[in-house]
Amino acid sequence: MAQVPQTFLDALAVRTWCGLALETLGRAREEIDAINVYPVADGDTGTNLYLTVESAVAAVEAVFAGHAARSGPEGPTLADTARAMAHGALIGARGNSGTILAQLLRGMSQVLAEGGTAQAGGESAHADGRGLRLALRHAADSARQAVAHPVEGTVLTVASAAADAACGAEGDCGTVARAAYEGARAALAATPGQLPVLERAGVVDAGGRGLVAVLGALVETFTGERPREAAATVTAGALRVGAGSRSAVVSETGGPGALAAGSAGGPGGPHARVVPGQADGSASGVPAGPAGDAQGLYTDERGPHARVEAAEELAPAVGAPRGECADGAAAADVDGPAFEVIYLLEAEDTAVERLRERLDALGDSLVVVGGDGLWNVHVHVDDAGAAVEAGIEAGRPYRIRITHFGAGDVHTTGAERPPRERAQRAVVAVVPGEGLAGLYTEAGATTVLARPGEPPASGELVHAVRRAHAREVVLLPNDAELRHTAAAAAEQARTEGIRVALIPTRSAVQGIAALAVHEPERRFDEDVVSMTSAAGATRYAEVTVAERQAWTMAGICQAGDVLGLIDGDVAVIGSDVTATAETVLDRMLAAGGEMVTLVLGDEAPGTIAEHLEGRVREGYLAVDTVVYRGGRQGAVLLIGVE
């Protein structure tokens, strides 16, 4: 359905563009993953770009929601929205291509936030065709500067070509956007001639293909129409090429036999992915409509949510090698460093310049993007510890993710990994802290880490379901706020032939109870019923500290007050963590119970576990207590009573 075109690039146009870009990348994700052969066949460039834009969308939506909550007559300004888009992309950037895309959006936002012109009547600022030209130029230049050793034939080349074409166009935003799109599409078609590895494989650059899709969404924003599909860009006739363990077909003509019926998707670039198991021709992506789990638990869907970091490696789709390499890295058949290191960094500009020099000497594939005190660092090294230490010397690194490219994988040898046999059943769980992640992993679950204020996005959960590599998956969101996101992820995974059951766990302690009765040898339905029953029989509570004054079910709390929440509602307001926790525990056990589970956060008092265990032992006969350490889980204490 055609969109209502936007005349100028204002706050609403940025919002529309981000949403359309997410939809377009959702359709093209598998295709982009499949053609990713430079410098190694990672098989996750499309997914990384999707997750990066999903984070940008969440940040933009948060700005609009904030203005709506204040009930003001005016919406957010172009500057507010553009900065939110760039910040969301930066903190949610995945892989090298996603990191570069984040810098492209940041470059645009710097121009848009400063160069918008006020409309008549005092309305929010907007940018015209000239402003869009300047934004695209600055974006391409800043992205190229962020890569330590730029290589032509990559997304950087496509971005520069888009900016060049835009600068030669006169007219409104629609005219400029279309010129940029056509320039990018032409540059994408030329990438096989610039990189021999692409020419041998018969594909275009995957990151560049993703950027063309994003620019196609920009055209749709201003014209209301999706651009015409780009012609395939390699040689006449169809070529079958390998991407990991999967195959793709590209064709100059796009005629019968060249493309699967379901491979047509987003605008721009050749369609080089033959999608198996989709007889209806639909492409993958997070569904736009209502989503429900197998048991009909949920029937609606929340918008996308920003995802910042998971503690463990996010492996690509089944059969694909791990770890996306930089667009400025060495050739695919050259041995590379053993580790990929990624982290966010709070540091001054001068310190970051020194960091670039040090990391460049340590390894390759170096990309550092950001500014104004917040940076996203990506590098491949043999000494991961040294890369992290360099970040510590520069400032405060956090959300550190280290991926080991194991001996014998494609990164170090160029050889394809043997496919791994699927398990019959697996459990995927969202956990709020590193300690619980270890506990769940020991119990056999595949985990997704959700740090405080950083809920995983639906694409992240789909990635985890794929990573579990099983025919049947039980999904435990462990958070009431994640039910719609988890339902969307479950629905998406089902379209890929995975049988998924979503158990509506609202706390990690309910997930522990469900996991305790999990038996993979049972029939799937019986196992799901047993796990659901165990989770439902577990009351949950948490003890936390109020960040601000607020109305609660227990009265008005002030910043710094200790809150005791039972089944999601504030039941106790106190001043001491241990005393509040004891009151909460007494209220929960007043209704009976046989087992108490305590999960301690890093900020929990050192004696609280011993005190509560003693309270249970003295006051409640035949009630057992088990204690776990959850790490940085947000809440001071989690309590479960079965």
Side-chain angles (χ1 to χ4, degrees), residues 347-392:
E348 299 296 329
D349 291 4
T350 53
V352 171
E353 286 304 314
R354 293 192 298 270
L355 175 66
R356 289 179 194 269
E357 295 177 3
R358 181 168 178 184
L359 292 180
D360 193 27
L362 285 174
D364 60 29
S365 301
L366 174 61
V367 185
V368 181
V369 303
D372 300 322
L374 180 62
W375 308 82
N376 193 312
V377 179
H378 172 286
V379 66
H380 289 179
V381 293
D382 282 319
D383 189 345
V388 175
E389 288 173 3
I392 294 173

mmCIF file of all heavy atoms in Angstrom, residues 347-392:
data_model
loop_
_atom_site.group_PDB
_atom_site.id
_atom_site.type_symbol
_atom_site.label_atom_id
_atom_site.label_comp_id
_atom_site.label_asym_id
_atom_site.label_seq_id
_atom_site.Cartn_x
_atom_site.Cartn_y
_atom_site.Cartn_z
ATOM 1 N N ALA A 347 34.179 8.222 26.117
ATOM 2 C CA ALA A 347 35.541 8.756 26.103
ATOM 3 C C ALA A 347 35.571 10.086 25.375
ATOM 4 O O ALA A 347 34.679 10.407 24.575
ATOM 5 C CB ALA A 347 36.502 7.763 25.429
ATOM 6 N N GLU A 348 36.613 10.870 25.652
ATOM 7 C CA GLU A 348 36.826 12.144 24.961
ATOM 8 C C GLU A 348 37.407 11.898 23.571
ATOM 9 O O GLU A 348 38.026 10.862 23.310
ATOM 10 C CB GLU A 348 37.785 13.019 25.773
ATOM 11 C CG GLU A 348 37.276 13.373 27.167
ATOM 12 C CD GLU A 348 36.019 14.222 27.111
ATOM 13 O OE1 GLU A 348 35.875 15.004 26.146
ATOM 14 O OE2 GLU A 348 35.178 14.101 28.029
ATOM 15 N N ASP A 349 37.236 12.879 22.680
ATOM 16 C CA ASP A 349 37.687 12.739 21.297
ATOM 17 C C ASP A 349 39.187 12.469 21.213
ATOM 18 O O ASP A 349 39.626 11.630 20.419
ATOM 19 C CB ASP A 349 37.352 14.003 20.500
ATOM 20 C CG ASP A 349 35.857 14.169 20.286
ATOM 21 O OD1 ASP A 349 35.091 13.342 20.823
ATOM 22 O OD2 ASP A 349 35.461 15.117 19.591
ATOM 23 N N THR A 350 39.976 13.193 22.018
ATOM 24 C CA THR A 350 41.441 13.014 21.950
ATOM 25 C C THR A 350 41.842 11.602 22.357
ATOM 26 O O THR A 350 42.759 11.014 21.785
ATOM 27 C CB THR A 350 42.137 14.038 22.856
ATOM 28 O OG1 THR A 350 41.578 13.954 24.179
ATOM 29 C CG2 THR A 350 41.931 15.456 22.333
ATOM 30 N N ALA A 351 41.152 11.049 23.352
ATOM 31 C CA ALA A 351 41.463 9.692 23.789
ATOM 32 C C ALA A 351 41.089 8.677 22.716
ATOM 33 O O ALA A 351 41.778 7.659 22.542
ATOM 34 C CB ALA A 351 40.726 9.383 25.089
ATOM 35 N N VAL A 352 40.025 8.959 21.981
ATOM 36 C CA VAL A 352 39.590 8.038 20.930
ATOM 37 C C VAL A 352 40.588 8.021 19.783
ATOM 38 O O VAL A 352 40.830 6.975 19.172
ATOM 39 C CB VAL A 352 38.182 8.416 20.443
ATOM 40 C CG1 VAL A 352 37.803 7.615 19.203
ATOM 41 C CG2 VAL A 352 37.159 8.171 21.544
ATOM 42 N N GLU A 353 41.191 9.165 19.491
ATOM 43 C CA GLU A 353 42.200 9.197 18.435
ATOM 44 C C GLU A 353 43.384 8.299 18.802
ATOM 45 O O GLU A 353 43.908 7.568 17.960
ATOM 46 C CB GLU A 353 42.672 10.640 18.203
ATOM 47 C CG GLU A 353 41.664 11.499 17.466
ATOM 48 C CD GLU A 353 41.261 10.890 16.135
ATOM 49 O OE1 GLU A 353 42.151 10.449 15.377
ATOM 50 O OE2 GLU A 353 40.047 10.831 15.856
ATOM 51 N N ARG A 354 43.807 8.353 20.048
ATOM 52 C CA ARG A 354 44.896 7.469 20.488
ATOM 53 C C ARG A 354 44.451 6.005 20.448
ATOM 54 O O ARG A 354 45.236 5.113 20.111
ATOM 55 C CB ARG A 354 45.338 7.858 21.902
ATOM 56 C CG ARG A 354 46.010 9.219 22.000
ATOM 57 C CD ARG A 354 46.683 9.414 23.349
ATOM 58 N NE ARG A 354 45.727 9.378 24.457
ATOM 59 C CZ ARG A 354 45.100 10.451 24.921
ATOM 60 N NH1 ARG A 354 45.326 11.645 24.377
ATOM 61 N NH2 ARG A 354 44.251 10.340 25.929
ATOM 62 N N LEU A 355 43.180 5.768 20.802
ATOM 63 C CA LEU A 355 42.651 4.404 20.771
ATOM 64 C C LEU A 355 42.667 3.849 19.352
ATOM 65 O O LEU A 355 43.013 2.674 19.139
ATOM 66 C CB LEU A 355 41.222 4.392 21.325
ATOM 67 C CG LEU A 355 40.483 3.058 21.254
ATOM 68 C CD1 LEU A 355 41.141 2.026 22.159
ATOM 69 C CD2 LEU A 355 39.014 3.247 21.622
ATOM 70 N N ARG A 356 42.296 4.661 18.380
ATOM 71 C CA ARG A 356 42.319 4.207 16.987
ATOM 72 C C ARG A 356 43.716 3.721 16.604
ATOM 73 O O ARG A 356 43.873 2.668 15.973
ATOM 74 C CB ARG A 356 41.899 5.352 16.053
ATOM 75 C CG ARG A 356 40.442 5.747 16.087
ATOM 76 C CD ARG A 356 40.233 6.892 15.119
ATOM 77 N NE ARG A 356 38.967 7.562 15.301
ATOM 78 C CZ ARG A 356 37.852 7.246 14.680
ATOM 79 N NH1 ARG A 356 37.854 6.247 13.825
ATOM 80 N NH2 ARG A 356 36.744 7.927 14.893
ATOM 81 N N GLU A 357 44.721 4.515 16.948
ATOM 82 C CA GLU A 357 46.095 4.155 16.586
ATOM 83 C C GLU A 357 46.507 2.840 17.246
ATOM 84 O O GLU A 357 47.132 1.985 16.611
ATOM 85 C CB GLU A 357 47.044 5.280 17.002
ATOM 86 C CG GLU A 357 46.814 6.595 16.253
ATOM 87 C CD GLU A 357 47.735 7.692 16.742
ATOM 88 O OE1 GLU A 357 48.577 7.402 17.631
ATOM 89 O OE2 GLU A 357 47.615 8.840 16.264
ATOM 90 N N ARG A 358 46.134 2.680 18.510
ATOM 91 C CA ARG A 358 46.541 1.466 19.217
ATOM 92 C C ARG A 358 45.824 0.234 18.661
ATOM 93 O O ARG A 358 46.439 -0.817 18.441
ATOM 94 C CB ARG A 358 46.256 1.611 20.707
ATOM 95 C CG ARG A 358 46.676 0.378 21.490
ATOM 96 C CD ARG A 358 46.682 0.611 22.974
ATOM 97 N NE ARG A 358 47.053 -0.601 23.688
ATOM 98 C CZ ARG A 358 47.064 -0.720 24.997
ATOM 99 N NH1 ARG A 358 46.744 0.310 25.756
ATOM 100 N NH2 ARG A 358 47.399 -1.863 25.565
ATOM 101 N N LEU A 359 44.515 0.336 18.422
ATOM 102 C CA LEU A 359 43.760 -0.803 17.908
ATOM 103 C C LEU A 359 44.166 -1.139 16.476
ATOM 104 O O LEU A 359 44.175 -2.315 16.086
ATOM 105 C CB LEU A 359 42.263 -0.517 17.975
ATOM 106 C CG LEU A 359 41.653 -0.425 19.375
ATOM 107 C CD1 LEU A 359 40.159 -0.132 19.277
ATOM 108 C CD2 LEU A 359 41.895 -1.711 20.162
ATOM 109 N N ASP A 360 44.508 -0.129 15.706
ATOM 110 C CA ASP A 360 44.943 -0.376 14.331
ATOM 111 C C ASP A 360 46.230 -1.187 14.316
ATOM 112 O O ASP A 360 46.450 -2.026 13.439
ATOM 113 C CB ASP A 360 45.143 0.961 13.611
ATOM 114 C CG ASP A 360 45.295 0.788 12.110
ATOM 115 O OD1 ASP A 360 44.759 -0.208 11.565
ATOM 116 O OD2 ASP A 360 45.934 1.638 11.476
ATOM 117 N N ALA A 361 47.074 -0.961 15.318
ATOM 118 C CA ALA A 361 48.321 -1.733 15.405
ATOM 119 C C ALA A 361 48.074 -3.146 15.922
ATOM 120 O O ALA A 361 48.847 -4.061 15.636
ATOM 121 C CB ALA A 361 49.307 -1.008 16.324
ATOM 122 N N LEU A 362 46.984 -3.330 16.665
ATOM 123 C CA LEU A 362 46.683 -4.640 17.235
ATOM 124 C C LEU A 362 46.036 -5.597 16.247
ATOM 125 O O LEU A 362 46.193 -6.815 16.351
ATOM 126 C CB LEU A 362 45.759 -4.490 18.452
ATOM 127 C CG LEU A 362 46.385 -3.967 19.739
ATOM 128 C CD1 LEU A 362 45.296 -3.747 20.792
ATOM 129 C CD2 LEU A 362 47.429 -4.947 20.268
ATOM 130 N N GLY A 363 45.235 -5.078 15.327
ATOM 131 C CA GLY A 363 44.486 -5.971 14.446
ATOM 132 C C GLY A 363 43.999 -5.280 13.189
ATOM 133 O O GLY A 363 44.611 -4.339 12.696
ATOM 134 N N ASP A 364 42.850 -5.766 12.667
ATOM 135 C CA ASP A 364 42.295 -5.183 11.443
ATOM 136 C C ASP A 364 40.788 -5.034 11.597
ATOM 137 O O ASP A 364 40.236 -5.182 12.682
ATOM 138 C CB ASP A 364 42.659 -6.029 10.216
ATOM 139 C CG ASP A 364 42.143 -7.458 10.298
ATOM 140 O OD1 ASP A 364 41.109 -7.693 10.952
ATOM 141 O OD2 ASP A 364 42.776 -8.353 9.708
ATOM 142 N N SER A 365 40.125 -4.711 10.493
ATOM 143 C CA SER A 365 38.671 -4.509 10.474
ATOM 144 C C SER A 365 38.246 -3.486 11.516
ATOM 145 O O SER A 365 37.210 -3.632 12.167
ATOM 146 C CB SER A 365 37.935 -5.835 10.717
ATOM 147 O OG SER A 365 38.274 -6.776 9.734
ATOM 148 N N LEU A 366 39.036 -2.437 11.678
ATOM 149 C CA LEU A 366 38.776 -1.436 12.713
ATOM 150 C C LEU A 366 37.774 -0.396 12.222
ATOM 151 O O LEU A 366 37.980 0.244 11.192
ATOM 152 C CB LEU A 366 40.080 -0.744 13.113
ATOM 153 C CG LEU A 366 39.948 0.432 14.094
ATOM 154 C CD1 LEU A 366 39.333 -0.036 15.407
ATOM 155 C CD2 LEU A 366 41.302 1.088 14.319
ATOM 156 N N VAL A 367 36.699 -0.245 12.993
ATOM 157 C CA VAL A 367 35.700 0.798 12.733
ATOM 158 C C VAL A 367 35.339 1.420 14.068
ATOM 159 O O VAL A 367 34.945 0.717 15.006
ATOM 160 C CB VAL A 367 34.418 0.234 12.075
ATOM 161 C CG1 VAL A 367 33.470 1.381 11.724
ATOM 162 C CG2 VAL A 367 34.745 -0.573 10.840
ATOM 163 N N VAL A 368 35.484 2.732 14.175
ATOM 164 C CA VAL A 368 35.104 3.466 15.378
ATOM 165 C C VAL A 368 34.143 4.568 14.968
ATOM 166 O O VAL A 368 34.507 5.461 14.200
ATOM 167 C CB VAL A 368 36.334 4.068 16.091
ATOM 168 C CG1 VAL A 368 35.901 4.797 17.361
ATOM 169 C CG2 VAL A 368 37.347 2.981 16.430
ATOM 170 N N VAL A 369 32.913 4.502 15.457
ATOM 171 C CA VAL A 369 31.898 5.482 15.068
ATOM 172 C C VAL A 369 31.323 6.132 16.312
ATOM 173 O O VAL A 369 31.421 5.608 17.420
ATOM 174 C CB VAL A 369 30.761 4.826 14.251
ATOM 175 C CG1 VAL A 369 31.313 4.135 13.035
ATOM 176 C CG2 VAL A 369 29.965 3.848 15.105
ATOM 177 N N GLY A 370 30.713 7.297 16.117
ATOM 178 C CA GLY A 370 30.073 8.001 17.220
ATOM 179 C C GLY A 370 30.657 9.375 17.408
ATOM 180 O O GLY A 370 31.189 9.998 16.492
ATOM 181 N N GLY A 371 30.564 9.887 18.619
ATOM 182 C CA GLY A 371 31.035 11.215 18.948
ATOM 183 C C GLY A 371 30.274 11.761 20.142
ATOM 184 O O GLY A 371 29.391 11.101 20.707
ATOM 185 N N ASP A 372 30.630 12.966 20.565
ATOM 186 C CA ASP A 372 29.983 13.606 21.711
ATOM 187 C C ASP A 372 30.079 12.737 22.965
ATOM 188 O O ASP A 372 29.144 12.659 23.769
ATOM 189 C CB ASP A 372 28.518 13.930 21.407
ATOM 190 C CG ASP A 372 28.368 14.864 20.216
ATOM 191 O OD1 ASP A 372 29.208 15.772 20.085
ATOM 192 O OD2 ASP A 372 27.427 14.672 19.426
ATOM 193 N N GLY A 373 31.208 12.045 23.094
ATOM 194 C CA GLY A 373 31.445 11.274 24.300
ATOM 195 C C GLY A 373 31.024 9.830 24.261
ATOM 196 O O GLY A 373 31.342 9.065 25.180
ATOM 197 N N LEU A 374 30.297 9.386 23.218
ATOM 198 C CA LEU A 374 29.845 7.998 23.128
ATOM 199 C C LEU A 374 30.258 7.412 21.787
ATOM 200 O O LEU A 374 29.956 7.982 20.733
ATOM 201 C CB LEU A 374 28.328 7.908 23.283
ATOM 202 C CG LEU A 374 27.740 6.494 23.216
ATOM 203 C CD1 LEU A 374 28.290 5.637 24.354
ATOM 204 C CD2 LEU A 374 26.219 6.541 23.271
ATOM 205 N N TRP A 375 30.930 6.245 21.823
ATOM 206 C CA TRP A 375 31.489 5.638 20.627
ATOM 207 C C TRP A 375 31.136 4.159 20.570
ATOM 208 O O TRP A 375 30.928 3.515 21.599
ATOM 209 C CB TRP A 375 33.015 5.786 20.617
ATOM 210 C CG TRP A 375 33.464 7.193 20.825
ATOM 211 C CD1 TRP A 375 33.596 7.843 22.016
ATOM 212 C CD2 TRP A 375 33.804 8.151 19.815
ATOM 213 N NE1 TRP A 375 34.004 9.143 21.815
ATOM 214 C CE2 TRP A 375 34.137 9.356 20.468
ATOM 215 C CE3 TRP A 375 33.875 8.096 18.423
ATOM 216 C CZ2 TRP A 375 34.529 10.493 19.785
ATOM 217 C CZ3 TRP A 375 34.273 9.233 17.735
ATOM 218 C CH2 TRP A 375 34.581 10.414 18.408
ATOM 219 N N ASN A 376 31.107 3.631 19.365
ATOM 220 C CA ASN A 376 30.950 2.198 19.153
ATOM 221 C C ASN A 376 32.220 1.699 18.476
ATOM 222 O O ASN A 376 32.593 2.184 17.394
ATOM 223 C CB ASN A 376 29.727 1.916 18.271
ATOM 224 C CG ASN A 376 29.342 0.452 18.271
ATOM 225 O OD1 ASN A 376 30.190 -0.420 18.105
ATOM 226 N ND2 ASN A 376 28.051 0.176 18.432
ATOM 227 N N VAL A 377 32.895 0.753 19.121
ATOM 228 C CA VAL A 377 34.205 0.282 18.663
ATOM 229 C C VAL A 377 34.094 -1.152 18.178
ATOM 230 O O VAL A 377 33.514 -2.004 18.854
ATOM 231 C CB VAL A 377 35.241 0.371 19.803
ATOM 232 C CG1 VAL A 377 36.601 -0.140 19.334
ATOM 233 C CG2 VAL A 377 35.351 1.802 20.317
ATOM 234 N N HIS A 378 34.655 -1.423 16.990
ATOM 235 C CA HIS A 378 34.645 -2.764 16.402
ATOM 236 C C HIS A 378 36.034 -3.043 15.846
ATOM 237 O O HIS A 378 36.589 -2.250 15.089
ATOM 238 C CB HIS A 378 33.605 -2.830 15.282
ATOM 239 C CG HIS A 378 33.639 -4.105 14.481
ATOM 240 N ND1 HIS A 378 34.614 -4.380 13.556
ATOM 241 C CD2 HIS A 378 32.804 -5.164 14.463
ATOM 242 C CE1 HIS A 378 34.379 -5.560 13.012
ATOM 243 N NE2 HIS A 378 33.290 -6.054 13.547
ATOM 244 N N VAL A 379 36.626 -4.198 16.223
ATOM 245 C CA VAL A 379 37.947 -4.545 15.719
ATOM 246 C C VAL A 379 38.134 -6.054 15.788
ATOM 247 O O VAL A 379 37.519 -6.738 16.613
ATOM 248 C CB VAL A 379 39.057 -3.827 16.545
ATOM 249 C CG1 VAL A 379 39.100 -4.341 17.975
ATOM 250 C CG2 VAL A 379 40.411 -3.928 15.873
ATOM 251 N N HIS A 380 38.971 -6.587 14.898
ATOM 252 C CA HIS A 380 39.375 -7.993 14.933
ATOM 253 C C HIS A 380 40.831 -8.060 15.378
ATOM 254 O O HIS A 380 41.697 -7.399 14.790
ATOM 255 C CB HIS A 380 39.234 -8.629 13.541
ATOM 256 C CG HIS A 380 37.822 -8.822 13.124
ATOM 257 N ND1 HIS A 380 37.473 -9.353 11.910
ATOM 258 C CD2 HIS A 380 36.654 -8.556 13.761
ATOM 259 C CE1 HIS A 380 36.150 -9.403 11.811
ATOM 260 N NE2 HIS A 380 35.646 -8.920 12.925
ATOM 261 N N VAL A 381 41.098 -8.858 16.411
ATOM 262 C CA VAL A 381 42.440 -8.930 16.986
ATOM 263 C C VAL A 381 42.756 -10.358 17.410
ATOM 264 O O VAL A 381 41.865 -11.197 17.545
ATOM 265 C CB VAL A 381 42.574 -8.006 18.229
ATOM 266 C CG1 VAL A 381 42.473 -6.550 17.847
ATOM 267 C CG2 VAL A 381 41.517 -8.364 19.270
ATOM 268 N N ASP A 382 44.037 -10.612 17.637
ATOM 269 C CA ASP A 382 44.445 -11.880 18.242
ATOM 270 C C ASP A 382 44.468 -11.790 19.758
ATOM 271 O O ASP A 382 44.301 -12.790 20.446
ATOM 272 C CB ASP A 382 45.836 -12.293 17.736
ATOM 273 C CG ASP A 382 45.777 -12.888 16.334
ATOM 274 O OD1 ASP A 382 44.846 -13.667 16.068
ATOM 275 O OD2 ASP A 382 46.656 -12.557 15.521
ATOM 276 N N ASP A 383 44.666 -10.586 20.286
ATOM 277 C CA ASP A 383 44.722 -10.377 21.726
ATOM 278 C C ASP A 383 43.499 -9.568 22.156
ATOM 279 O O ASP A 383 43.517 -8.332 22.163
ATOM 280 C CB ASP A 383 46.010 -9.651 22.104
ATOM 281 C CG ASP A 383 46.232 -9.589 23.614
ATOM 282 O OD1 ASP A 383 45.278 -9.854 24.364
ATOM 283 O OD2 ASP A 383 47.361 -9.263 24.032
ATOM 284 N N ALA A 384 42.410 -10.270 22.493
ATOM 285 C CA ALA A 384 41.174 -9.591 22.869
ATOM 286 C C ALA A 384 41.358 -8.774 24.142
ATOM 287 O O ALA A 384 40.805 -7.675 24.278
ATOM 288 C CB ALA A 384 40.051 -10.613 23.063
ATOM 289 N N GLY A 385 42.145 -9.289 25.075
ATOM 290 C CA GLY A 385 42.385 -8.569 26.320
ATOM 291 C C GLY A 385 43.041 -7.220 26.085
ATOM 292 O O GLY A 385 42.692 -6.219 26.717
ATOM 293 N N ALA A 386 43.989 -7.193 25.157
ATOM 294 C CA ALA A 386 44.666 -5.931 24.858
ATOM 295 C C ALA A 386 43.706 -4.918 24.242
ATOM 296 O O ALA A 386 43.805 -3.718 24.510
ATOM 297 C CB ALA A 386 45.836 -6.188 23.916
ATOM 298 N N ALA A 387 42.765 -5.389 23.422
ATOM 299 C CA ALA A 387 41.789 -4.485 22.806
ATOM 300 C C ALA A 387 40.874 -3.875 23.855
ATOM 301 O O ALA A 387 40.522 -2.689 23.792
ATOM 302 C CB ALA A 387 40.973 -5.237 21.766
ATOM 303 N N VAL A 388 40.480 -4.678 24.838
ATOM 304 C CA VAL A 388 39.636 -4.165 25.917
ATOM 305 C C VAL A 388 40.435 -3.224 26.813
ATOM 306 O O VAL A 388 39.939 -2.166 27.227
ATOM 307 C CB VAL A 388 39.036 -5.324 26.730
ATOM 308 C CG1 VAL A 388 38.258 -4.794 27.930
ATOM 309 C CG2 VAL A 388 38.124 -6.183 25.850
ATOM 310 N N GLU A 389 41.677 -3.590 27.113
ATOM 311 C CA GLU A 389 42.522 -2.730 27.939
ATOM 312 C C GLU A 389 42.735 -1.367 27.280
ATOM 313 O O GLU A 389 42.774 -0.336 27.960
ATOM 314 C CB GLU A 389 43.868 -3.404 28.190
ATOM 315 C CG GLU A 389 43.791 -4.595 29.144
ATOM 316 C CD GLU A 389 45.111 -5.336 29.243
ATOM 317 O OE1 GLU A 389 46.085 -4.870 28.608
ATOM 318 O OE2 GLU A 389 45.167 -6.364 29.939
ATOM 319 N N ALA A 390 42.847 -1.366 25.953
ATOM 320 C CA ALA A 390 43.002 -0.097 25.241
ATOM 321 C C ALA A 390 41.762 0.770 25.441
ATOM 322 O O ALA A 390 41.854 1.996 25.583
ATOM 323 C CB ALA A 390 43.235 -0.359 23.755
ATOM 324 N N GLY A 391 40.596 0.132 25.452
ATOM 325 C CA GLY A 391 39.368 0.879 25.706
ATOM 326 C C GLY A 391 39.320 1.425 27.120
ATOM 327 O O GLY A 391 38.858 2.554 27.348
ATOM 328 N N ILE A 392 39.789 0.646 28.086
ATOM 329 C CA ILE A 392 39.812 1.095 29.481
ATOM 330 C C ILE A 392 40.728 2.299 29.646
ATOM 331 O O ILE A 392 40.422 3.246 30.380
ATOM 332 C CB ILE A 392 40.254 -0.060 30.399
ATOM 333 C CG1 ILE A 392 39.198 -1.170 30.386
ATOM 334 C CG2 ILE A 392 40.491 0.435 31.818
ATOM 335 C CD1 ILE A 392 39.620 -2.423 31.122
#
